[in-house]
Amino acid sequence: MDLVPKMKNVSVLGAAGKMGSGILVLLSFEMAKLKIGKKSNEQFVLNAIDVSQPALVNLLGYVRSQLLKHAEKNIVELRDWYADKENLVDNEDVINQFVEDVMAMIQTSTRIETTYESELIFEAIKEDKDLKVKLFSQIKQNNPNAWFLTNTSSIPIGEIEKEAGLNGNIVGYHFYNPPVIQKLLEIIKCDNTGDELNEFSIALAKSMRKIIVPSKDVAGFIGNGHFMRDALYALNQAQKLAETEGWAKAFFMIDTISRDLLVRPMGIFQLIDYVGVDVTKFILASMQPSFPNETLSHDVLNELFDREVKGGQYADGSQKDGVFKYQKGRITHVYDFGAGKYVSKEDIEMDCAAKMGELPTLKIYWKTVVRDKNKFEYLEKFFKELHQIDSVGANLAVAYGQNSKAIGQMLVDTEVAASADDVNTVLETGFFHAYGPINDYF
Amino acid sequence: MKALRKKVYMVAGYNTVSMGTGRKEFHPKKPRPDLEHYIKEAGQATLKMIGGAENVDEGVIGNFMASRFNKQANLPAFLPMIDEGLKHKPAISVEGACASGGLALASGIKSILAETADVVLALGFEVQNTMKAMYGADVLAGAGWMKTRKDGHAYFFPGVFSNRAGAYYEKFGKEKTREAMAKWYCNAIENARLCETAQEFHNKSKDLEGTAKMPLNPKKFVDHLNYSDCSKVSDGASAIAIVSEEGLKNVGIDPKDAVEVVGIGQAASDITKEPENMTCLTTMKAAAAKAMEMAGITVDQIGTVEVHDCFSIAGIMGAEAIGFAEEGKGVDFVLEGHTSRCGKVPFNTTGGLIGWGHPTGATGVHQAVTIWEQLTGKAGDAQIEMKEDRPYGMTVNMGGDDKSLVAIVYKRGE
């Protein structure tokens, strides 16, 4: 498929955000392939649009650094692209020229009107349906043929399409954080999404070398469909434990169980901190209307938000305080929800270990297992042992694994995911799990 | 000159660690020792073994590209930094790409022969982890003819030797050649594990052969070589004292603790010309032949060799160029185990450029230090047994694609 006609003028809304900036970088790589790699004579413009002018200035620095890394990694190919430029002799010459050439295609703007010239509009603003609908309908009125690719992780595409009157010109294009590195892309077609747009979105994703998983247009899709319910389960389990153990220990134990005994890269509350308590709350709220029979909210989460215990990241990527406090990425303090203050991890660690009781003798760590050739052998042994132990920790872990599996199965049963493989792919690639939730371990 | 006009010895060799990827203490983003550190460490260690700076008459520093890796020139003036006692003594620096170290040795030997000195401190260094590999490749490309850089590979020298490997595959069979290159790599790492200054000293891999036999990836690297076929990017320095008989007495070292230089062959060929034979290192052949002729020995009397294996294929072609095997038979020579630690002629006994490391300007000196250690029984865990009928050691140091060559034949002092 010839991508050029649609790629000549592209806009990214929310370009200075965490997701938007990554999407912008990926698009700049794609434009570079077309403009420099294929030596196109067309003019290409990539509009980076955001409400914050200072953030856009920072964004350009980020894009430049990413382009430099990309060029360094792909120097063998770039020398070929610039083979006819006699003045570019050293790798350094070629790399610098590439960065300049791509930067020259990027224009920053704080004005929504900039999108009126664009064939493609990528959107990565905050998770607020009304705002998305308002912007899209305004653009649609001024740019009737534009295609919209929204990075929403939870809002049904069909609802946006209908409310903004997009006439099928929208597809869900859900990247995972950080978009430049994360291979997973959930593509969500709504009932009206046009075939041409759908084909284009798949061709572009392939060119970006993404792992594509299609999701049905159901709020939360596959990724958040699992994550949000997993998080609610964890909050409920912690709440029960808190009755006897207090909140600090309850948070810490459930987090430890979901990381070490489920062999995941992060515990569930650390993941909530990473995503942000606020963002988690918004996602749940945006999913709730689609599931009137389920409670997709949690008092504890809402209360954390009200108390400004929010998590998320600073601009430099370091973690803000949330359920935990961190130092160099390691948990140092735990929030005691009951007392409204942080307690040192060291003060509760031993008690938690005693409470959890016996654990498998086979120690396996996500970091080493995830890339091991004999991964499945280790996991099978580990979980077999886990099932045989009757301790608080082991029982909580088994129940946690079973619940995660049930969520995954529900996503298949309700056809949100086309198959168990798709659910597992999303969790393994999007969330870096060592194994998918639909498995024989639980 | 058919024979050396007077006796020349080398003593008191010292190698710093070869620093770079592979060493536990190496982290690309953390500060590392600078060139001053390496020069001082190696120079001071040698001075200590020869009774101090007052015994030194001259100094020579071999280095390839400090001018670009470290933006530093005027290297002779670093000699007195090693020790105040070297202040106002003659110092020069020499450059011949990766043969800079060998040229430093040649320069020192000539000072002894010219009788301008009885003791020469010869030192080679390079600190090249100051840049990422793709930029370092630009700098190292200076060992080739700059007018061919544009058409060359992003990784210029791997590209050059990949072409040689490709020609060799075509002429003598790819499968067996790849086997021999894998064996070369395994030998290099196994030897490096015995030498604590080696860059691959910490290599604990249980499957070296598997690493060497990874599929080639021309999209990200070159057509005919893997990373395991390449020498390392290294920081390091080596030093050794080159002395006359008189000098040996002055520094108070028993000749048995020294090696005698019995032959040297230097050769250069036109950098602006393509190789006349892609599967033969003809300049190396000429230099090695000269050195052996001067020493009055045949290849069968050589007991150990330090050959310039900047790439595994160069090591194999080096064995051929020295005369251990005919053209195309170097692969058999290696596969039959003759170059291995327990073989007929152990090659690169502390890992060579692939296993020990390749701080480019230091390499020639490092080779001499290794031969000195082996011939005088100072190689520690890496010590090989020298057989009576093969008492000679040899170093072959190459700059660029078979362009600047220094070959030296040694025997233990008597």
Side-chain angles (χ1 to χ4, degrees):
Chain A
M1 185 175 199
D2 183 12
L3 300 178
V4 173
K6 286 289 172 188
M7 290 288 285
K8 283 190 287 187
N9 191 314
V10 178
S11 286
V12 178
L13 291 172
K18 201 156 69 172
M19 299 303 287
S21 58
I23 294 168
L24 187 85
V25 168
L26 285 171
L27 289 169
S28 75
F29 295 165
E30 290 307 306
M31 275 191 184
K33 273 192 221 168
L34 300 173
K35 171 76 184 169
I36 308 164
K38 297 205 168 134
K39 303 196 182 353
S40 169
N41 292 321
E42 303 278 1
Q43 290 302 308
F44 288 83
V45 179
L46 180 54
N47 296 306
I49 305 170
D50 203 280
V51 286
S52 162
Q53 177 62 35
L56 284 169
V57 174
N58 289 337
L59 169 70
L60 291 182
Y62 169 74
V63 173
R64 183 176 282 276
S65 72
Q66 289 295 314
L67 284 169
L68 187 65
K69 262 193 202 167
H70 180 77
E72 289 171 348
K73 214 169 127 193
N74 293 288
I75 181 61
V76 175
E77 187 177 27
L78 290 195
R79 279 190 81 89
D80 195 34
W81 288 6
Y82 286 102
D84 56 349
K85 295 271 185 291
E86 277 176 28
N87 58 326
L88 305 176
V89 177
D90 277 350
N91 292 340
E92 193 174 6
D93 303 334
V94 171
I95 288 165
N96 291 339
Q97 188 65 50
F98 172 81
V99 173
E100 291 313 316
D101 287 350
V102 180
M103 288 303 287
M105 295 193 276
I106 299 173
Q107 316 258 353
T108 61
S109 166
T110 53
R111 295 162 50 83
I112 193 71
E113 290 79 2
T114 310
T115 61
Y116 296 174
E117 302 291 319
S118 293
E119 283 94 11
L120 289 183
I121 292 147
F122 287 79
E123 171 271 313
I125 61 170
K126 72 174 169 180
E127 208 64 336
D128 177 339
K129 188 170 80 175
D130 293 342
L131 182 61
K132 288 179 203 268
V133 166
K134 178 175 160 257
L135 290 175
F136 289 1
S137 62
Q138 183 188 335
I139 297 167
K140 179 74 180 174
Q141 282 163 27
N142 293 283
N143 183 1
N145 295 320
W147 281 350
F148 295 86
L149 295 95
T150 171
N151 186 53
T152 179
S153 65
S154 56
I155 304 167
I157 311 303
E159 291 178 17
I160 303 174
E161 192 266 346
K162 199 171 147 202
E163 291 174 37
L166 298 182
N167 202 19
N169 287 341
I170 183 169
V171 69
Y173 221 51
H174 179 215
F175 291 89
Y176 278 68
N177 186 26
V180 177
I181 296 170
Q182 260 281 17
K183 287 271 172 242
L184 182 65
L185 183 67
E186 274 181 294
I187 298 187
I188 307 104
K189 239 178 89 170
C190 70
D191 290 342
N192 285 347
T193 300
D195 290 342
E196 211 189 333
L197 169 54
N198 187 45
E199 272 169 44
F200 172 86
S201 71
I202 292 168
L204 178 64
K206 282 185 178 160
S207 179
M208 289 175 175
R209 297 174 159 270
K210 293 293 176 196
I211 296 168
I212 305 166
V213 173
S215 168
K216 198 172 150 189
D217 190 19
V218 173
F221 317 125
I222 301 171
N224 280 333
H226 183 277
F227 171 38
M228 289 300 130
R229 292 175 176 98
D230 201 51
L232 290 174
Y233 176 81
L235 284 162
N236 285 332
Q237 292 303 99
Q239 198 159 28
K240 264 187 233 162
L241 260 185
E243 288 168 13
T244 55
E245 309 303 316
W247 271 102
K249 288 180 194 167
F251 277 139
F252 187 72
M253 274 192 267
I254 297 296
D255 191 72
T256 305
I257 286 164
S258 58
R259 180 187 62 233
D260 296 348
L261 299 183
L262 274 283
V263 198
R264 291 181 178 181
M266 266 187 201
I268 186 68
F269 295 118
Q270 186 176 356
L271 180 59
I272 290 173
D273 280 352
Y274 177 77
V275 171
V277 169
D278 48 352
V279 175
T280 308
K281 181 174 150 7
F282 291 145
I283 295 173
L284 283 167
S286 71
M287 286 170 67
Q288 181 67 80
S290 303
F291 300 96
N293 299 326
E294 244 181 298
T295 306
L296 292 176
S297 67
H298 203 283
D299 292 344
V300 173
L301 195 77
N302 297 341
E303 178 69 23
L304 284 171
F305 176 81
D306 291 343
R307 292 190 202 168
E308 300 274 327
V309 177
K310 281 191 190 163
Q313 272 104 55
Y314 292 104
D316 69 354
S318 62
Q319 181 68 46
K320 292 182 188 169
D321 296 346
V323 175
F324 301 119
K325 277 191 187 183
Y326 305 83
Q327 205 165 29
K328 289 184 182 171
R330 286 178 181 276
I331 295 168
T332 59
H333 293 78
V334 187
Y335 187 68
D336 185 337
F337 184 74
K341 59 172 192 190
Y342 285 92
V343 300
S344 162
K345 181 187 85 167
E346 282 167 17
D347 293 345
I348 58 167
E349 218 169 3
M350 299 297 278
D351 288 349
C352 289
K355 172 75 186 172
M356 287 201 286
E358 190 189 347
L359 298 176
T361 49
L362 176 67
K363 298 286 173 229
I364 64 172
Y365 301 97
W366 172 83
K367 203 175 163 183
T368 45
V369 161
V370 72
R371 282 192 196 88
D372 199 300
K373 270 187 286 187
N374 305 317
K375 176 170 89 172
F376 295 109
E377 219 173 281
Y378 290 131
L379 288 170
E380 199 176 314
K381 258 194 202 163
F382 179 81
F383 289 125
K384 202 173 159 196
E385 204 188 335
L386 187 72
H387 278 281
Q388 284 162 355
I389 299 169
D390 184 19
S391 67
V392 171
N395 292 336
L396 281 170
V398 169
Y400 200 110
Q402 286 166 343
N403 183 69
S404 168
K405 182 175 181 173
I407 299 168
Q409 194 56 52
M410 179 276 287
L411 292 170
V412 179
D413 295 344
T414 55
E415 292 175 353
V416 176
S419 67
D421 277 351
D422 279 357
V423 174
N424 288 347
T425 302
V426 168
L427 272 297
E428 284 167 21
T429 55
F431 292 82
F432 296 115
H433 287 190
Y435 60 95
I438 305 179
N439 56 59
D440 295 330
Y441 309 131
F442 295 103
Chain B
M1 193 169 63
K2 288 225 172 91
L4 297 171
R5 290 187 179 133
K6 60 185 288 184
K7 286 191 183 242
V8 181
Y9 297 89
M10 290 192 198
V11 289
Y14 182 87
N15 299 317
T16 68
V17 160
S18 177
M19 184 63 71
T21 53
R23 291 294 301 191
K24 272 186 192 159
E25 63 270 45
F26 177 78
H27 189 290
K29 286 184 181 154
K30 289 193 177 148
R32 282 179 299 279
D34 49 17
L35 67 90
E36 291 82 355
H37 169 93
Y38 286 105
I39 294 173
K40 269 189 201 163
E41 182 188 334
Q44 288 173 352
T46 292
L47 288 183
K48 202 174 165 196
M49 286 183 259
I50 59 171
E54 63 267 31
N55 286 335
V56 174
D57 300 311
E58 286 183 22
V60 52
I61 293 181
N63 172 267
F64 174 20
M65 274 288 193
S67 54
R68 289 185 69 191
F69 281 126
N70 322 99
K71 298 186 178 160
Q72 182 64 61
N74 201 2
L75 301 179
F78 281 91
L79 197 79
M81 177 195 68
I82 298 169
D83 190 298
E84 245 187 89
L86 296 173
K87 190 177 168 187
H88 294 176
K89 289 194 176 174
I92 61 166
S93 69
V94 290
E95 187 278 311
C98 303
S100 300
L103 290 177
L105 300 176
S107 166
I109 290 168
K110 284 171 185 174
S111 287
I112 302 296
L113 295 174
E115 302 193 336
T116 59
D118 283 311
V119 177
V120 179
L121 174 61
L123 185 143
F125 81 90
E126 204 77 53
V127 173
Q128 53 186 150
N129 280 299
T130 51
M131 20 180 109
K132 292 183 186 172
M134 69 293 300
Y135 303 114
D138 287 338
V139 173
L140 297 172
W145 187 31
M146 227 349 114
K147 294 219 162 79
T148 61
R149 175 67 183 118
K150 176 66 186 170
D151 294 330
H153 196 274
Y155 296 96
F156 186 79
F157 266 95
V160 167
F161 279 88
S162 168
N163 293 343
R164 282 204 182 255
Y168 199 101
Y169 298 162
E170 201 166 298
K171 210 156 154 188
F172 304 115
K174 180 168 179 179
E175 206 176 319
K176 198 192 234 181
T177 309
R178 289 296 305 158
E179 283 284 329
M181 288 159 83
K183 171 105 177 163
W184 189 275
Y185 171 74
C186 296
N187 286 349
I189 305 302
E190 282 162 11
N191 285 337
R193 285 169 175 169
L194 301 171
C195 177
E196 58 188 26
T197 54
Q199 203 164 327
E200 290 288 350
F201 178 64
H202 299 132
N203 186 325
K204 296 271 188 299
S205 165
K206 289 189 184 103
D207 185 22
L208 293 176
E209 206 176 325
T211 305
K213 288 182 175 169
M214 296 256 284
L216 299 166
N217 184 2
K219 268 185 120 171
K220 293 286 171 198
F221 196 49
V222 294
D223 291 351
H224 304 299
L225 301 176
N226 257 334
Y227 291 114
S228 61
D229 292 308
C230 304
S231 52
K232 317 282 298 179
V233 173
S234 317
D235 302 345
S238 293
I240 200 163
I242 304 171
V243 301
S244 64
E245 260 186 304
E246 191 67 25
L248 203 54
K249 280 180 203 148
N250 292 350
V251 300
I253 290 180
D254 187 327
K256 283 204 164 4
D257 289 326
V259 286
E260 185 184 344
V261 174
V262 291
I264 176 166
Q266 264 183 270
S269 59
D270 186 347
I271 196 170
T272 67
K273 298 243 162 66
E274 292 289 310
E276 52 204 72
N277 179 350
M278 286 293 279
T279 57
C280 177
L281 300 173
T282 52
T283 317
M284 186 185 286
K285 197 171 178 176
K290 279 191 207 184
M292 284 187 284
E293 194 193 347
M294 189 186 283
I297 64 159
T298 66
V299 75
D300 299 326
Q301 292 169 275
I302 297 174
T304 182
V305 176
E306 289 297 308
V307 74
H308 195 96
D309 62 335
C310 46
F311 301 92
S312 56
I313 191 68
I316 292 165
M317 287 166 70
E320 295 171 4
I322 298 166
F324 288 104
E326 301 169 29
E327 211 185 309
K329 299 284 187 205
V331 284
D332 300 295
F333 191 73
V334 171
L335 285 171
E336 284 159 18
H338 296 313
T339 62
S340 307
R341 164 156 295 274
C342 300
K344 195 155 73 177
V345 196
F347 271 54
N348 296 4
T349 56
T350 58
L353 285 63
I354 290 173
W356 188 82
H358 187 24
T360 44
T363 291
V365 181
H366 167 256
Q367 293 177 323
V369 173
T370 304
I371 290 292
W372 167 72
E373 288 172 342
Q374 290 292 6
L375 266 49
T376 58
K378 299 183 204 304
D381 291 344
Q383 185 68 49
I384 55 160
E385 193 193 331
M386 291 298 294
K387 295 172 198 91
E388 262 179 42
D389 58 336
R390 290 178 171 273
Y392 295 94
M394 185 179 211
T395 56
V396 180
N397 188 203
M398 173 168 71
D401 180 17
D402 196 36
K403 294 305 180 195
S404 301
L405 267 294
V406 183
I408 300 175
V409 178
Y410 313 74
K411 68 170 188 182
R412 187 174 190 171
E414 288 165 356

